[in-house]
């Protein structure tokens, strides 16, 4: 084990970074220009992480929306340690179960949307969605409808890195390099992005007549409802497309549309679920229940991989009484230690009333962002729920005008805040729109929220001058 407090020489730092960029394949980022400033971290503490040089950074994106209860949370870590001492590992194969998995299932049943009472455990969000896609197809097969093989997915959504979930991503060009090996039964439908509607709406679902729903139904009829297995969607799309919040009318209509044509509904809450929205799940903001709900990331506070595909009992019961088993699984899915970590995470959130605290933090951040919006013409609007925020940038105050090189301004702000303010956020570019996204842990303090707002304030001032934003 390395010494996290060691002071490295300049040569040691250079050697470590050179080895990392030469031999370790980074996730999603394989551009050579990233080699110019690689970042290597050595330790964490609370809501901060430290790099090789000893610099301290406020983790304002909760390690990609995972460490929602903060780093080095000893209550969760001790639960993992106690579990590995008692029963280190035994797989959930066939008729073999372990107590931590049973305990977690009972806890999830209490916090999940009512009716989702069957649980299939895996190792990641991608596998959770892959499981839901396969289970939906298998369910129809057991019901005597083998022709239902197509999967509807929405534009702007990200669902994972396995073959099926890559094919189901609605991000432009996402699967281009993998054409020919991806599932051909994927059908894209529009999302409910009212601020950037592609269906002829004007930003108000009450006046456009839910044009996105009408277009979705048109596509269903064109494809043939009898060929469609399921619709996979995120009840609130993630950071890639800026956390657009769908109106309740849309969500109700989606459920009704699926029921009308016998299509199963999969809600992907890998990124947005598990307490980050101010409720346990974004689904809780709507009066509907999907047939499947997937989640991962924050389940174990990011300390050990775990994912779950929750499903309505009738779906699992079909596999128990049907003609064949649900042929899917993995060695480590539902690992004992991971389940113990998830149980401890739920307990920690409930014991410390962190759902209430996160809503208080949300109100506090809203006030700070209101002041930034008054002060900075570059900030057009914000979207999201709970601690998940997206800030849409513009070149001209009050209206959306893209920058000359979309993506460049958000990247500049991201890097400037990292280097000058010691805070970690994220930027994305969607439909030529620069967005800044962040999601602090629900254990953030009000002072840390203020630090984040101050960092954004300083960065916006610099960016407005550098990129010539019109006031």
């Amino acid at each position: 084990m390395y010494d996290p407090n060691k002071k490295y020489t300049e040569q040691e730092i250079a050697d470590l970074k050179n080895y990392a960029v030469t031999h370790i394949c980074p996730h999603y980022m394989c551009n050579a220009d990233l080699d110019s400033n690689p970042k290597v971290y050595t330790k964490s503490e609370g809501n901060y992480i430290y790099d090789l040089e000893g610099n301290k950074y406020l983790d304002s994106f909760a390690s990609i929306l995972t460490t929602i209860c903060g780093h080095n949370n000893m209550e969760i870590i001790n639960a993992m340690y106690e579990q590995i001492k008692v029963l280190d590992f035994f797989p959930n194969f066939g008729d073999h179960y372990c107590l931590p998995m049973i305990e977690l299932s009972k806890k999830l049943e209490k916090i999940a949307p009512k009716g989702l009472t069957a649980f299939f455990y895996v190792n990641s969000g991608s596998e959770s969605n892959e499981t839901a896609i396969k289970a939906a197809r298998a369910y129809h097969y057991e019901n005597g409808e083998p022709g239902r093989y197509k999967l509807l997915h929405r534009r702007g959504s990200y669902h994972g890195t396995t073959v099926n979930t890559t094919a189901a991503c609605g991000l432009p060009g996402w699967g281009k390099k993998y054409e020919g090996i991806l599932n051909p039964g994927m059908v894209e439908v529009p999302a409910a992005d009212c601020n950037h509607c592609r269906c002829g709406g004007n930003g108000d679902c009450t006046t456009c007549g839910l044009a996105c729903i009408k277009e979705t139904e048109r596509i269903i009829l064109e494809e043939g409802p009898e060929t469609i297995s399921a619709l996979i969607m995120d009840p609130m799309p993630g950071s890639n497309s800026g956390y657009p919040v769908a109106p309740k009318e849309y969500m109700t209509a989606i459920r009704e549309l699926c029921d009308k044509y016998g299509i199963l509904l999969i809600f992907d809450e890998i990124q947005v679920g598990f307490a980050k929205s101010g409720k346990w799940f974004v689904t809780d903001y709507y009066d509907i229940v999907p047939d499947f709900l997937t989640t991962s990331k924050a389940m174990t506070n990011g300390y050990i991989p775990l994912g779950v595909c929750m499903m309505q009992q009738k779906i699992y019961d079909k596999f128990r009484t049907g003609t064949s088993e649900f042929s899917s699984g993995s060695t480590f899915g539902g690992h004992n230690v991971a389940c113990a970590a998830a149980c401890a995470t739920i307990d920690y959130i409930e014991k410390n009333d962190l759902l209430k605290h996160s809503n208080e933090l949300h109100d506090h951040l809203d006030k700070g962002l209101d002041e930034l919006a008054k002060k900075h013409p570059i900030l057009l609007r914000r979207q999201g729920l709970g601690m998940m925020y997206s800030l849409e940038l513009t070149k001209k105050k009050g209206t959306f005008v893209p920058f000359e090189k979309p993506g460049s301004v958000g990247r500049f702000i991201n890097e400037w805040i990292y280097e000058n303010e010691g805070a970690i956020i994220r930027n994305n570019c969607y439909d030529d729109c620069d967005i800044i996204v962040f999601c602090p842990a629900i254990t953030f303090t009000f002072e840390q929220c203020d630090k984040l707002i101050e960092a954004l304030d300083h960065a916006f001032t610099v960016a407005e001058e550098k990129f010539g934003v019109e006031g």
Side-chain angles (χ1 to χ4, degrees):
M1 172 89 183
Y2 67 89
D3 180 1
N5 297 309
K6 176 182 176 179
K7 292 186 178 180
Y8 293 87
T9 66
E10 289 186 11
Q11 187 59 52
E12 286 175 325
I13 292 172
D15 289 345
L16 286 166
K17 289 185 174 182
N18 180 64
Y19 183 89
V21 299
T22 304
H23 298 288
I24 301 174
C25 303
H27 293 205
Y28 297 111
M29 302 292 188
C30 282
N31 291 305
D33 58 0
L34 292 175
D35 296 356
S36 63
N37 187 27
K39 303 161 181 65
V40 180
Y41 301 103
T42 58
K43 66 177 182 178
S44 54
E45 179 184 49
N47 292 313
Y48 291 90
I49 62 170
Y50 297 77
D51 66 12
L52 272 176
E53 292 88 344
N55 298 311
K56 178 180 179 181
Y57 300 94
L58 182 63
D59 187 0
S60 305
F61 204 55
S63 303
I64 315 185
L65 302 106
T66 59
T67 52
I68 56 167
C69 297
H71 295 281
N72 305 89
N73 187 309
M74 292 310 300
E75 291 191 32
I76 300 172
I77 292 170
N78 286 336
M80 296 167 66
Y81 175 62
E82 292 301 321
Q83 177 58 51
I84 204 168
K85 288 194 302 180
V86 175
L87 177 61
D88 49 7
F89 173 65
F90 196 84
N92 174 220
F93 261 50
D95 58 353
H96 299 275
Y97 305 89
C98 294
L99 281 178
M101 183 181 292
I102 295 173
E103 181 183 1
L104 175 58
S105 300
K106 289 182 176 181
K107 287 181 180 294
L108 287 174
E109 189 172 342
K110 290 180 180 178
I111 66 173
K114 187 176 181 181
L116 299 173
T117 57
F119 310 94
F120 192 100
Y121 292 98
V122 290
N123 306 291
S124 68
S126 295
E127 291 172 77
S128 301
N129 284 334
E130 188 81 12
T131 299
I133 293 168
K134 291 167 68 177
R137 173 79 175 93
Y139 177 75
H140 289 301
Y141 188 93
E142 291 289 337
N143 272 337
E145 295 186 275
R148 286 185 179 268
Y149 70 96
K150 295 178 184 176
L151 180 76
L152 303 178
H153 66 92
R154 300 196 307 168
R155 185 181 189 279
S157 293
Y158 169 79
H159 294 297
T161 58
T162 55
V163 172
N164 273 320
T165 58
T166 297
C169 283
L171 301 172
W174 190 258
K176 184 177 181 180
K177 293 181 180 179
Y178 313 111
E179 290 176 356
I181 66 170
L182 299 181
N183 188 334
M186 301 294 176
V187 180
E188 187 171 285
V189 297
D193 189 353
C194 294
N195 290 321
H196 297 277
C197 183
R198 285 174 164 260
C199 298
N202 59 0
D204 183 355
C205 72
T206 61
T207 59
C208 79
L210 291 174
C212 51
I213 289 290
K214 293 177 181 177
E215 176 62 10
T216 299
E217 184 167 25
R218 185 195 69 77
I219 292 172
I220 290 172
L221 293 173
E222 183 179 82
E223 292 289 332
E226 72 283 357
T227 69
I228 300 172
S229 169
L231 164 63
I232 185 170
M233 59 174 282
D234 23 24
M236 182 176 75
S239 59
N240 289 292
S241 47
Y243 301 128
V245 180
K248 287 188 175 182
E249 294 89 343
Y250 168 85
M251 299 298 283
T252 300
I254 277 289
R255 179 71 270 185
E256 291 173 348
L257 198 60
C258 287
D259 290 341
K260 180 179 179 180
Y261 294 110
I263 298 168
L264 296 175
L265 180 58
I266 304 168
F267 272 6
D268 172 356
E269 294 219 30
I270 307 300
Q271 184 179 154
V272 302
F274 228 79
K276 294 181 288 286
S277 69
K279 296 180 183 289
W280 278 110
F281 296 98
V282 170
T283 311
D284 296 334
Y285 283 92
Y286 303 99
D287 297 325
I288 63 172
V289 178
D291 299 295
F292 300 88
L293 190 148
T294 59
T295 195
S296 182
K297 283 189 180 290
M299 278 185 75
T300 64
N301 202 46
Y303 290 173
I304 186 169
L306 181 67
V308 65
C309 171
M310 299 184 269
M311 62 187 84
Q312 292 197 23
Q313 193 67 42
K314 68 177 183 180
I315 296 174
Y316 175 51
D317 287 347
K318 177 62 67 172
F319 302 132
R320 298 179 68 217
T321 58
T323 58
S324 65
E325 64 184 10
F326 175 46
S327 300
S328 187
S330 62
T331 301
F332 299 111
H335 195 292
N336 307 320
V337 179
C339 288
C343 287
T345 300
I346 294 172
D347 290 345
Y348 188 85
I349 292 170
E350 291 180 333
K351 183 178 74 173
N352 293 282
D353 206 3
L354 290 182
L355 287 176
K356 178 183 178 182
H357 180 62
S358 68
N359 283 297
E360 292 170 346
L361 291 173
H362 171 85
D363 293 341
H364 189 77
L365 281 167
D366 267 2
K367 291 178 182 177
L369 291 169
D370 283 342
E371 294 303 313
L372 290 187
K374 295 175 184 176
K375 182 178 179 180
H376 293 286
I378 196 172
L379 178 52
L380 179 60
R381 65 170 62 91
R382 65 178 181 270
Q383 297 184 129
L385 291 170
M387 298 299 283
M388 294 175 285
Y389 280 92
S390 169
L391 308 182
E392 185 174 327
L393 309 180
T394 182
K395 188 173 173 60
K396 184 177 181 180
K397 181 179 181 179
T399 187
F400 174 58
V401 177
F403 291 90
E404 183 177 349
K405 295 182 178 180
S408 60
V409 180
R411 188 181 308 112
F412 170 81
I413 291 172
N414 183 347
E415 294 173 354
W416 194 92
I417 286 178
Y418 185 88
E419 296 292 340
N420 296 277
E421 299 289 336
I424 296 172
I425 58 170
R426 187 177 179 184
N427 69 282
N428 276 310
C429 183
Y430 180 68
D431 278 351
D432 290 336
C433 179
D434 280 72
I435 53 177
I436 296 296
V437 291
F438 54 89
C439 178
I442 58 178
T443 53
F444 246 48
T445 65
F446 295 113
E447 291 75 19
Q448 288 168 340
C449 289
D450 291 339
K451 175 177 172 57
L452 176 58
I453 293 295
E454 183 180 29
L456 290 166
D457 184 14
H458 295 164
F460 287 165
T461 298
V462 176
E464 285 167 346
E465 182 176 349
K466 178 178 176 63
F467 293 95
V469 175
E470 301 176 36

